[in-house]
Amino acid sequence: MQSANILIIVACLVGAVRAASDNSTVGVEAPTIVSIVFKYDPNKAAAIAAGVLYSVASLCLFTRLFMNKAWWGLHLPIASTLMSVGLFMRIPMATNPNSLSIFLVQAFFTLLPPAAYLAFNYILYRRFFVNCVDRRYSWIKPEKAIRCIVISDIATASIQGAGGGLEASTNTTSAKLGADIVLVGLILQTVSFAFFMILVVHVWHGINRDGLLFRKEPWRKILWILMFSSTAYMIRYIYRVIEFGQGNDGYLIT
């Protein structure tokens, strides 16, 4: 999944560099890489605040995992740490908007961690059935369900990567086709994750149906975590679909 996301990031960077170079003859007012990709100037105060919040979250997660020796979840605080670094990199990027090296670092560090967050939910879902409840509560065998979702994520991310490559083209028709392909990939990815949410809701319904004392079970928080975080991910997916659907001049992206 991460390799496919790298393709998307590289495609965006290529498109930004091409656009910046195409406009370099305009003069001192030529748009920068940052202005072309972001459509706004990064705010230093916001970058510091967000970076600090992610750093605090990373510290809490590292502490919790080491105390419980839960090494299987180590990629979660590592991803949060990378995200905080990426956000802090927006501080020098604000004063060096044409620095490709700074832009590339912040892009990789902010766009890749979400893949690890999703992976954590998938692993948590599988371990929930291994350690907490009977496997019969899963609509589909946990291993098979997660395998299908991961394959779907890789496929849809690859579609987005292919579309991103076309979108970076200087040909208007190819660029428009690329944007449409990226949008299709995003929609399919959203549908794929919606299937995962259905699996989680099915587990929730089955446990309640069998009359388990939900509030007294030590594992009840796991389902709350899965429901809450999955809902947050879905909001993000829907936002991105609308954002890409509106185009580069749309309300959300500007």
Side-chain angles (χ1 to χ4, degrees):
M1 188 190 305
Q2 291 187 356
S3 60
N5 284 331
I6 291 174
L7 291 175
I8 300 172
I9 296 169
V10 171
C12 291
L13 291 175
V14 171
V17 172
R18 285 182 177 177
S21 62
D22 290 342
N23 289 282
S24 61
T25 57
V26 176
V28 293
E29 299 299 329
T32 62
I33 294 175
V34 172
S35 66
I36 291 171
V37 176
F38 281 180
K39 308 297 181 182
Y40 66 87
D41 296 322
N43 185 290
K44 293 182 180 180
I48 293 173
V52 168
L53 287 174
Y54 268 98
S55 297
V56 172
S58 299
L59 180 61
C60 293
L61 287 168
F62 270 121
T63 302
R64 184 70 174 176
L65 289 175
F66 276 103
M67 287 177 60
N68 292 278
K69 297 181 180 180
W71 313 123
W72 62 270
L74 197 59
H75 62 287
L76 187 60
I78 290 176
S80 294
T81 301
L82 295 179
M83 179 68 85
S84 66
V85 173
L87 291 167
F88 283 133
M89 287 300 295
R90 291 192 175 185
I91 300 171
M93 191 177 69
T95 54
N96 300 276
N98 260 326
S99 173
L100 183 60
S101 57
I102 294 176
F103 183 84
L104 186 131
V105 170
Q106 74 81 32
F108 270 88
F109 281 28
T110 55
L111 295 180
L112 287 182
Y117 301 152
L118 289 175
F120 180 83
N121 265 29
Y122 299 155
I123 294 173
L124 191 61
Y125 179 85
R126 183 183 63 82
R127 289 180 64 87
F128 180 67
F129 288 100
V130 172
N131 301 300
C132 301
V133 297
D134 195 287
R135 296 163 63 92
R136 65 185 175 85
Y137 288 111
S138 181
W139 186 21
I140 303 173
K141 289 183 179 180
E143 296 82 4
K144 185 177 181 180
I146 298 307
R147 190 183 306 116
C148 291
I149 293 171
V150 170
I151 291 174
S152 175
D153 278 351
I154 293 174
T156 54
S158 299
I159 292 173
Q160 294 175 58
L166 284 174
E167 197 174 12
S169 173
T170 55
N171 183 282
T172 305
T173 303
S174 296
K176 177 63 170 61
L177 177 61
D180 292 339
I181 292 175
V182 170
L183 181 58
V184 170
L186 276 172
I187 293 173
L188 292 175
Q189 197 171 42
T190 303
V191 172
S192 174
F193 191 73
F195 174 70
F196 175 72
M197 289 193 67
I198 291 173
L199 291 177
V200 176
V201 172
H202 183 270
V203 175
W204 184 293
H205 175 72
I207 290 175
N208 277 324
R209 180 193 58 207
D210 285 357
L212 294 180
L213 298 178
F214 198 73
R215 293 184 179 180
K216 295 182 179 180
E217 294 292 344
W219 41 257
R220 67 188 186 279
K221 292 181 180 180
I222 296 177
L223 277 182
W224 282 108
I225 290 170
L226 282 173
M227 291 291 289
F228 175 79
S229 59
S230 295
T231 301
Y233 291 142
M234 181 54 69
I235 292 173
R236 178 179 181 270
Y237 275 128
I238 294 173
Y239 182 96
R240 290 191 69 201
V241 169
I242 297 173
E243 180 186 32
F244 274 79
Q246 291 180 341
N248 289 331
D249 298 321
Y251 177 77
L252 292 183
I253 202 169
T254 56

